[in-house]
């Protein structure tokens, strides 16, 4: 087959193939170009510049029927704007340096029928793949840097299979994937990504058919997954995420079909912000939260399982307002200093703690939330732990009492003291026995005067019950009249009896209404 194939040649001038149509393969392997190479608007069979050095390569709108091989090239910027490569693009080991403030590899709207392989690439100025399309993209172990923009710009990128960025080193502008679509997996394992001005990984509205795997990834600048859609899990175990502003991980409205793992030694410096997110599997919170003011924000989020049990260093706040969670795995040692619970719904709590311990969880809310107590009491009742449910309801009344006006607060203290707001009915019997005994002793010592001479014999206990309990009529109160100081005892006993009876009836009614729900 006829072809042009040069190895180790030194080309002192320019290679000018702009607008050319060449039907044979072209190869300049390990060649040195003193001038630039211009392949713009040309139509070529295949191009091989492997190992060559060149000041710059302009290949805008280039069409190649086969492969474009730029592996191990050394030189200035490479431009592939709107180029169409039917085969693969090879940039493995390339060393590119931008001669201005732009990107070292400029390939917006590049179309690659096969894969774009840039393993171990070095690009001082970064890579621009805005709106590009390829079967797969690999920048494994690459070294990218930039000052004024993203070091790897992939906004609107379309990848049919995987995006490989494992062990990638990024210094400067981070990675931008706004609106990108990745059909397979997104790999970030052991990548080190620093951004001095913005997000380390900015992937708002990204669509990933598989999962995002960033085990042991290290970022300076935080990760933004706003409104992202992920078909499998996001694995960030053992990662180190340092915040951009306040956010170490930001994913409002994200949809994750499996789990989000921030455990297994993960360290997060900053907030984890996931409002309105939907995580169908398990959310493993970070092992360590490194700031005293950090927040876990799950407002109105939907989570299958929230795993807080493995957290060693707690955030200052966990905001669960309006969240819907299937199961919460936690322990008293993993609870943050403040937990916002207004509107939280859940189906299960693991482990099953007694109400006396779980109440400390509710008390970490910044304000009194009736719904939180009702939900916890319902949870215990569904498990058949009625005593724990009553303990929670009693605690709810006691906390609500602190927000009431003085008259209601005083009545609340009386209800609590006498019948425990209806959840401690045994107290009513104790108070009744004590009051009956006291009144009977008083009137046994100082009997009241009979109303008529032929009346019934005086019975101190029956007289005390007749005075104290308004619903009873044993005939003693009508037959005898207290006098002197004992009259005050009778009046006080009657008032105490009315108050006690009213409180008992109100408490029992409340308890029966709660039990019937």
């Amino acid at each position: 087959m006829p072809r042009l194939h040069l190895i180790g040649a030194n080309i002192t001038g320019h290679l000018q193939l702009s607008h050319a149509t060449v039907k044979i393969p072209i190869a300049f392997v390990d060649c040195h170009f003193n001038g630039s190479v211009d392949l713009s608007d040309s139509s070529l069979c295949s191009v091989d510049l492997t190992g060559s050095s060149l000041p710059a390569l302009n290949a805008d709108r280039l069409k190649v029927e086969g492969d474009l091989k730029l592996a191990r090239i050394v030189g200035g910027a490479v431009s592939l704007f709107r180029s169409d490569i039917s085969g693969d693009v090879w940039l493995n080991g390339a060393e590119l340096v931008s001669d201005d403030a732009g990107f070292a590899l400029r390939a917006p709207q590049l179309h690659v029928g096969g894969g774009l392989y840039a393993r171990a690439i070095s690009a001082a100025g970064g890579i621009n793949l805005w709106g590009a399309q390829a079967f797969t993209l690999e920048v494994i172990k690459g070294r990218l840097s930039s000052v004024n923009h993203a070091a790897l710009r992939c906004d609107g990128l379309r990848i049919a299979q995987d995006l490989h960025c494992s062990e990638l080193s990024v210094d400067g502008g981070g990675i931008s994937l706004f609106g990108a679509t990745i059909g397979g997996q997104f790999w970030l394992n052991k990548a080190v990504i620093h951004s001095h001005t913005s997000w380390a990984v900015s992937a708002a509205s990204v669509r990933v058919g598989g999962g995002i795997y960033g085990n042991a990834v290290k970022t300076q600048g935080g990760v933004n997954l706003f409104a992202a859609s992920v078909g499998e899990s996001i694995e960030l175990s053992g990662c180190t995420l340092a915040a951009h502003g306040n956010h170490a991980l930001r994913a409002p409205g994200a949809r994750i079909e499996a789990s989000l793992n921030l455990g297994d030694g993960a360290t997060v410096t900053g907030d984890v912000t996931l409002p309105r997110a939907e995580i169908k599997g398990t959310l493993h919170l970070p092992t360590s939260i490194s700031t005293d003011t950090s927040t876990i924000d799950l407002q109105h989020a939907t989570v299958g399982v929230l795993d807080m049990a493995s957290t060693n260093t707690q955030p200052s706040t966990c905001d669960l307002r309006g969240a819907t969670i299937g199961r919460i795995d936690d322990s008293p040692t993993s609870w943050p200093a403040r937990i916002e619970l207004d509107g939280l719904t859940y189906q299960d709590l693991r482990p099953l703690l007694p109400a006396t311990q779980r109440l400390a969880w509710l008390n970490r809310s910044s304000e009194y939330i009736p719904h939180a107590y009702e939900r916890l009491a319902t949870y215990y009742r569904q498990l058949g732990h009625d005593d724990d449910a009553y303990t929670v309801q009693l605690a709810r009344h006691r906390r609500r009492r602190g927000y009431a006006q003085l008259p209601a607060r005083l009545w609340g203290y009386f209800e609590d003291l006498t019948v425990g707001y209806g959840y401690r009915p045994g107290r009513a019997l104790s108070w009744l026995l004590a009051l009956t005994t006291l009144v009977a002793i008083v009137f046994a010592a100082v009997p009241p005067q009979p109303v008529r001479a032929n009346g019934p014999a005086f019975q101190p206990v029956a007289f005390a019950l007749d005075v104290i309990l308004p619903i009873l009529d044993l005939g003693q109160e009508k037959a005898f009249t207290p006098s002197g100081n004992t009259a005050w005892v009778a009046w006080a006993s009657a008032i105490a009896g009315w108050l006690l009876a009213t409180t008992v009836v109100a408490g029992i009614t409340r308890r029966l209404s709660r039990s019937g729900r």
Side-chain angles (χ1 to χ4, degrees):
M1 178 181 295
R3 59 178 177 168
L4 173 62
H5 195 156
L6 297 177
I7 300 176
N10 182 26
I11 294 92
T12 58
H14 300 281
L15 175 61
Q16 176 60 261
L17 289 175
S18 177
H19 296 88
T21 299
V22 180
K23 297 295 185 180
I24 64 173
I26 298 174
F28 292 88
V29 178
D30 294 331
C31 294
H32 176 74
F33 293 85
N34 291 336
S36 61
V37 177
D38 189 354
L39 305 178
S40 61
D41 298 290
S42 60
S43 178
L44 307 177
C45 176
S46 66
V47 179
D48 187 355
L49 295 172
T50 300
S52 296
S53 61
L54 61 164
L57 171 62
N58 180 9
D60 295 343
R61 298 169 298 280
L62 168 67
K63 292 185 178 180
V64 179
E65 295 178 6
D67 292 354
L68 175 59
K69 297 180 180 180
L70 304 176
R72 296 189 290 105
I73 66 170
V74 178
V78 172
S79 183
L80 294 168
F81 173 66
R82 284 191 178 177
S83 294
D84 187 351
I85 314 300
S86 298
D88 299 321
V89 175
W90 300 89
L91 280 158
N92 294 339
E95 297 182 14
L96 308 179
V97 179
S98 174
D99 54 0
D100 52 26
F103 290 92
L105 175 60
R106 306 166 187 178
Q109 301 183 48
L110 169 68
H111 180 270
V112 182
L116 198 165
Y117 304 100
R119 289 174 176 255
I121 188 174
S122 175
I127 296 175
N128 183 8
L129 293 172
W130 178 88
Q133 299 180 49
F135 182 75
T136 186
L137 172 59
E138 293 186 4
V139 284
I140 298 172
K141 297 184 179 180
R143 300 182 306 280
L144 311 180
S145 62
S146 67
V147 177
N148 302 316
H149 47 69
L152 179 59
R153 185 188 182 200
C154 296
D155 302 333
L157 177 71
R158 299 291 184 270
I159 298 293
Q161 288 298 316
D162 294 356
L163 172 57
H164 295 269
C165 295
S166 294
E167 300 183 62
L168 177 65
S169 176
V170 177
D171 185 20
I175 299 175
S176 181
L177 288 162
F178 175 77
T181 299
I182 302 167
Q185 321 292 338
F186 179 22
W187 301 92
L188 275 168
N189 294 334
K190 297 183 180 179
V192 179
I193 307 169
H194 289 182
S195 176
H196 304 307
T197 58
S198 185
W199 297 99
V201 178
S202 181
S205 300
V206 70
R207 299 290 181 267
V208 182
I212 299 177
Y213 301 97
N215 297 318
V217 66
K218 295 182 179 180
T219 68
Q220 177 63 53
V223 176
N224 180 20
L225 295 173
F226 174 84
S229 177
V230 181
E232 296 176 8
S233 294
I234 298 179
E235 293 289 339
L236 298 174
S237 61
C239 68
T240 302
L241 306 182
H244 165 63
N246 296 325
H247 303 285
L249 174 62
R250 179 177 181 264
R255 298 292 180 267
I256 303 170
E257 295 298 321
S259 299
L260 170 55
N261 184 11
L262 286 165
D264 299 327
T267 299
V268 173
T269 305
D271 297 342
V272 176
T273 308
L274 303 169
R276 303 180 307 282
E278 181 179 350
I279 303 170
K280 293 186 178 181
T282 301
L283 170 58
H284 299 275
L285 291 184
T287 302
S288 175
I289 304 288
S290 298
T291 62
D292 295 334
T293 59
S294 59
T295 298
I296 303 294
D297 186 353
L298 290 170
Q299 293 185 66
H300 302 285
T302 302
V303 180
V305 178
L306 175 60
D307 181 11
M308 303 176 63
S310 60
T311 302
N312 297 327
T313 307
Q314 292 76 33
S316 62
T317 303
C318 185
D319 195 338
L320 301 176
R321 288 176 292 182
T324 301
I325 300 175
R327 189 180 82 224
I328 300 176
D329 294 343
D330 62 0
S331 66
T333 58
S334 70
W335 294 338
R338 196 176 83 186
I339 307 175
E340 300 296 348
L341 300 170
D342 190 11
L344 169 67
T345 60
Y346 51 87
Q347 301 301 318
D348 197 7
L349 298 172
R350 299 282 181 87
L352 178 60
L353 299 175
T356 52
Q357 292 188 40
R358 187 57 73 176
L359 283 172
W361 181 60
L362 297 185
N363 291 334
R364 299 199 180 200
S365 180
S366 59
E367 56 183 345
Y368 166 61
I369 307 296
H371 172 270
Y373 287 87
E374 291 287 351
R375 181 67 196 93
L376 185 59
T378 301
Y379 168 70
Y380 281 121
R381 194 176 297 114
Q382 289 172 342
L383 296 177
H385 293 232
D386 290 340
D387 289 341
D388 284 319
Y390 298 148
T391 299
V392 173
Q393 292 286 13
L394 179 58
R396 179 177 72 87
H397 287 288
R398 287 172 174 172
R399 190 166 183 185
R400 184 185 64 176
R401 185 173 65 203
Y403 295 87
Q405 298 295 325
L406 182 60
R409 192 182 308 171
L410 292 176
W411 177 254
Y413 279 116
F414 180 73
E415 277 194 287
D416 192 3
L417 180 65
T418 54
V419 292
Y421 288 99
Y423 299 106
R424 298 291 183 265
R427 291 183 185 176
L429 180 61
S430 299
W431 281 105
L432 177 62
L433 292 176
L435 184 60
T436 301
T437 301
L438 178 62
V439 173
I441 291 174
V442 169
F443 284 101
V446 184
Q449 300 296 321
V451 174
R452 60 183 184 274
N454 59 348
F458 177 69
Q459 298 290 336
V461 174
F463 181 80
L465 290 173
D466 229 357
V467 171
I468 293 171
L469 297 178
I471 61 175
L472 288 181
D473 185 7
L474 301 178
Q476 290 286 306
E477 188 177 10
K478 295 178 180 178
F480 297 92
T481 302
S483 60
N485 291 332
T486 58
W488 290 99
V489 175
W491 294 337
S493 301
I495 293 172
W498 275 102
L499 290 174
L500 182 61
T502 302
T503 307
V504 169
V505 170
I508 292 176
T509 302
R510 185 184 298 116
R511 178 167 179 173
L512 290 176
S513 64
R514 297 297 182 192
S515 300
R517 290 186 180 181

